[in-house]
Amino acid sequence: MQTQIKIEKCEKPYCVIHAEQKNEAINSIAEKISMMDESGRICRIAAWDGDFCVQLKQNEILRIYSMDKKVYVECEKEAEPLLLKLRLYEIEEMAERFGWIDFIRISNTDIVNFSKVEKLDMSLSGIIKVIYADGKNAIVSRRYMNKIKNQLMMTSKKAN
């Protein structure tokens, strides 16, 4: 894909995409660019509530999960889950690239924002249950337990 940068006076940088026609690839590029700030860092995730696009900050997100081949996000300010147009692995890669250390994959279908977790219930034999302040919960897959324990240790060390 050809790119061009023009230097001119403007209040804020903006991007224009020239294409013969609108398609999935162009829509995907535009969506990813719209999530970036002036430094090129993605600071918001675009989620969909029907025809409405809702911009979410990382600290508003409780969890991101897949169900029925679609990806949803649960957040504090929305009662119903919102649809994401990204795949879980893309969100996981994005979180790693931008240093979102609180976003941890707990199963094949769930990524949890551990800064929003109130407590971890380890009373069941070998199973960890993630519990949020609002009472919602998620179960950690055995496959991801070591990764989660290691990442939580790293997070707690950085917090000190």
Side-chain angles (χ1 to χ4, degrees):
M1 183 175 291
Q2 181 183 4
T3 59
Q4 182 180 34
I5 298 174
K6 289 186 177 182
I7 306 301
E8 59 186 38
K9 282 191 172 190
C10 59
E11 278 185 41
K12 289 172 76 176
Y14 66 94
C15 182
V16 177
I17 299 172
H18 297 272
E20 194 170 307
Q21 63 184 12
K22 197 172 185 179
N23 58 35
E24 284 288 320
I26 298 298
N27 287 340
S28 177
I29 291 167
E31 186 174 324
K32 287 174 182 163
I33 291 171
S34 71
M35 291 188 278
M36 294 180 188
D37 63 10
E38 287 85 13
S39 69
R41 296 189 128 210
I42 295 176
C43 57
R44 296 181 186 259
I45 293 178
W48 298 89
D49 183 9
D51 291 335
F52 297 97
C53 179
V54 179
Q55 297 290 314
L56 299 173
K57 296 177 185 171
Q58 70 179 18
N59 63 355
E60 297 172 329
I61 297 171
L62 296 175
R63 85 179 238 233
I64 300 168
Y65 65 96
S66 66
M67 185 173 63
D68 300 329
K69 297 184 179 181
K70 293 183 180 180
V71 178
Y72 298 93
V73 60
E74 281 184 12
C75 55
E76 296 172 322
K77 67 180 184 178
E78 300 291 331
E80 295 294 317
L82 302 173
L83 181 67
L84 291 177
K85 293 187 179 179
L86 296 169
R87 303 224 185 265
L88 281 178
Y89 76 89
E90 292 175 313
I91 294 165
E92 194 173 27
E93 289 170 358
M94 183 180 67
E96 187 176 322
R97 251 191 345 261
F98 295 110
W100 297 358
I101 60 171
D102 293 328
F103 283 76
I104 302 173
R105 188 150 193 168
I106 64 166
S107 69
N108 284 338
T109 59
D110 282 279
I111 297 173
V112 170
N113 182 353
F114 268 84
S115 69
K116 301 296 181 180
V117 172
E118 184 164 292
K119 55 188 167 184
L120 299 173
D121 181 358
M122 297 183 185
S123 62
L124 300 173
S125 60
I127 295 174
I128 299 173
K129 184 191 265 187
V130 175
I131 302 170
Y132 297 100
D134 64 0
K136 292 180 183 175
N137 61 61
I139 302 292
V140 175
S141 163
R142 289 183 191 272
R143 180 179 177 192
Y144 289 87
M145 286 219 198
N146 285 337
K147 179 183 177 186
I148 291 163
K149 287 176 183 176
N150 291 339
Q151 198 154 356
L152 287 174
M153 289 301 290
M154 288 177 11
T155 303
S156 64
K157 286 179 185 175
K158 287 182 181 181
N160 290 336

